[in-house]
Amino acid sequence: PRSSTTIESTPEVTVETVRRAPGAAPDPEVDDVADPTFAGTGDPRIDVVSYDVTVRSNPGDPAISGRVVIRLAALTAEPLESFTLDLNGPVVSSATVEGDPATTTRGDTATEIEIRPAEPLEPLEVVETVLTYSGQPATIYFDDLDEQVGWQPDDRGGWFTLGEPNGTATWVPVNSHPSDKARWTISLDTPTGVTGVSNGRLLERSEQGDRTVWRWGHDRPMATYLALVAVGDYELVTRPGPPGVTLTFAFPPSLPAASQEAFNSTESMIAFFESLFGPYPGSDGGALVVDTDLNVALETQTRPTFSNHWIASQVDALAHEIAHEWFGNSVTPATCTDLWLNEGFAT
């Protein structure tokens, strides 16, 4: 429902703006998206254009530290004096908007922070917000999935995330509602010898002393609940998929060959779905297999998440998660009430 564009105001100056969705500008006093199924998340007064986040993590240590650069714009008709982001667990230590210090306080709930820039945000103009934060991600148990969501441990000392519906806010400040899709770049700062996995394609792996930074990027907008992080012992297997698509699989070294072979049908599944739905939406695919017992396989953009305990017998789940690249990832529900649409089509 929201989109971004670049408008040239003069030959010398380029002003980046966003467009409002059809309808009236949002109420400047309402700081939560009106979602009848999952209330209390997101801020309808802003549109996030992009996230560029770096998360520092160590196996066995539940605390993380991070820095995120968020490019966003106010959607209100008048200048916006403050806005909110969702963050559950870690604490923000510094904030700037357009390079000037901003104040941060807890919002209406313990899972929300309010950011007040030095100057109100001009409507529709994109500004850069930089937040530094640290602490232990909150533990969230989501009854409808019968599973913990958010940042959590695997069985070998590593960490991974399950984002749906609100788990991403446990490890990075976000506008946590599917109506606000944005472009993502995710960098994972790990001890050398530990692999960091995320959405899209591995853009860079840089050695910095006794640590490694894994920088991942994706070429399509993404809802916050589809963001993925895994930190631990993984083998990255990359191979060409159907024309224009690169597949990257992250397997724990202990994964049996038979379980790895279950993913050999990925190419034929994508080709079949392309014959039904149209071109694959993006240039990256694959999967993440986590070394732990999960009750679900989970849709995450470009790299769905599976448990190593049961993948060998769940090729049907692989087809379902790949179908989500069209239904849920490319076309995303406007509210959590609409999740039955992408789940129904994928089924």
Side-chain angles (χ1 to χ4, degrees), residues 28 45-46 74-76 78-83 117 119-123:
R45 303 169 299 176
I46 61 171
L75 297 176
T76 48
E78 301 296 328
L80 183 63
E81 293 187 354
S82 68
F83 59 93
E119 298 291 338
L121 304 185
E122 291 297 324

Side-chain angles (χ1 to χ4, degrees), residues 273 277 318-328 342 345-347:
F273 288 151
F277 309 143
L318 177 60
H320 175 99
E321 303 307 334
I322 291 175
H324 271 309
E325 298 296 342
W326 284 266
F327 304 110
N342 58 298
F345 278 118
T347 300

Side-chain angles (χ1 to χ4, degrees), residues 127-347:
V127 298
E128 183 176 276
T129 297
V130 180
L131 301 173
T132 303
Y133 59 96
S134 62
Q136 185 169 333
T139 299
I140 304 173
Y141 192 82
F142 189 55
D143 289 337
D144 289 349
L145 288 178
D146 190 25
E147 188 61 71
Q148 182 178 332
V149 299
W151 185 279
Q152 55 193 288
D154 63 23
D155 290 345
R156 294 188 178 272
W159 303 96
F160 71 100
T161 64
L162 296 179
E164 189 174 346
N166 62 338
T168 301
T170 64
W171 56 273
V172 59
V174 288
N175 196 25
S176 186
H177 193 268
S179 61
D180 191 3
K181 298 172 71 171
R183 297 189 184 276
W184 282 77
T185 304
I186 297 175
S187 299
L188 301 171
D189 181 338
T190 71
T192 296
V194 175
T195 303
V197 184
S198 190
N199 308 81
R201 186 170 303 188
L202 183 60
L203 304 177
E204 182 182 17
R205 189 180 82 176
S206 60
E207 305 295 331
Q208 301 179 7
D210 61 352
R211 302 190 67 85
T212 302
V213 177
W214 307 77
R215 186 168 178 82
W216 296 79
H218 182 42
D219 59 0
R220 292 294 183 97
M222 183 167 68
T224 54
Y225 79 92
L226 298 170
L228 160 71
V229 164
V231 173
D233 190 7
Y234 293 99
E235 295 176 353
L236 298 180
V237 178
T238 299
R239 63 178 187 249
V245 180
T246 298
L247 301 177
T248 301
F249 301 89
F251 296 135
S254 59
L255 190 69
S259 295
Q260 293 193 32
E261 290 170 1
F263 293 93
N264 289 344
S265 55
T266 297
E267 291 89 338
S268 60
M269 289 180 178
I270 291 176
F272 176 69
F273 288 151
E274 285 187 317
S275 73
L276 295 177
F277 309 143
Y280 181 82
S283 58
D284 294 287
L288 164 70
V289 178
V290 178
D291 195 350
T292 195
D293 191 12
L294 296 174
N295 294 318
V296 296
L298 193 67
E299 158 196 14
T300 49
Q301 197 153 322
T302 73
R303 193 148 296 115
T305 300
F306 301 87
S307 166
N308 68 332
H309 287 235
W310 51 270
I311 184 56
S313 62
Q314 292 291 319
V315 175
D316 56 337
L318 177 60
H320 175 99
E321 303 307 334
I322 291 175
H324 271 309
E325 298 296 342
W326 284 266
F327 304 110
N329 299 359
S330 180
V331 180
T332 303
T335 74
C336 293
T337 306
D338 299 325
L339 282 170
W340 70 273
L341 280 167
N342 58 298
E343 291 299 337
F345 278 118
T347 300

